Amino acid sequence: MERVYTAQDIMIVGHLEAVLERHRIGCVVKNRFLVGGAGELPPTDVWPEIWVREDDAPRAREVIAGVLAEGEASPPDWTCPRCGEAVEGQFAECWNCQTPAPGEG
Ligand SMILES: [Zn+2]
């Protein structure tokens, strides 16, 4: 196994994990649940980490670099269930009819 990414933000790590899985790259997230329970360890020792098989590491790094470059860490766009408008992922409600994003709350 080889570590390909680490970040303090579990949201980003979780997003990258999902993207890697979409690319059929099996990965393991370490320290997923340790943030906040660091105790006396240096904080960077308990950041979430993404590990992949060594064979997959070059491709995984490529995918991760692409995701970070494109800003795909923001939520995906969604379609308003009420009026059918396409809404950018960072908006929590439809710009057209103020319907909350599905799955929120
Ligand atoms: Zn709408």
Side-chain angles (χ1 to χ4, degrees), residues 80-85 87 94-99:
C80 177
R82 183 169 163 201
C83 71
E85 286 290 343
V87 185
C94 175
W95 56 266
N96 187 45
C97 69
Q98 284 76 52
T99 297

Side-chain angles (χ1 to χ4, degrees), residues 7-66:
Q8 192 171 12
D9 188 347
I10 187 60
M11 296 299 289
I12 293 172
V13 171
H15 176 70
L16 290 172
E17 177 188 21
V19 172
L20 287 172
E21 279 170 5
R22 279 210 298 276
H23 284 80
R24 301 275 184 266
I25 299 173
C27 61
V28 173
V29 176
K30 298 188 178 182
N31 299 337
R32 187 198 295 271
F33 302 111
L34 294 183
V35 174
E40 305 194 351
L41 294 171
T44 50
D45 277 7
V46 292
W47 281 13
E49 299 174 343
I50 298 176
W51 291 68
V52 301
R53 294 189 321 137
E54 281 163 40
D55 289 352
D56 289 332
R59 208 155 59 92
R61 286 202 170 89
E62 225 170 81
V63 168
I64 290 170

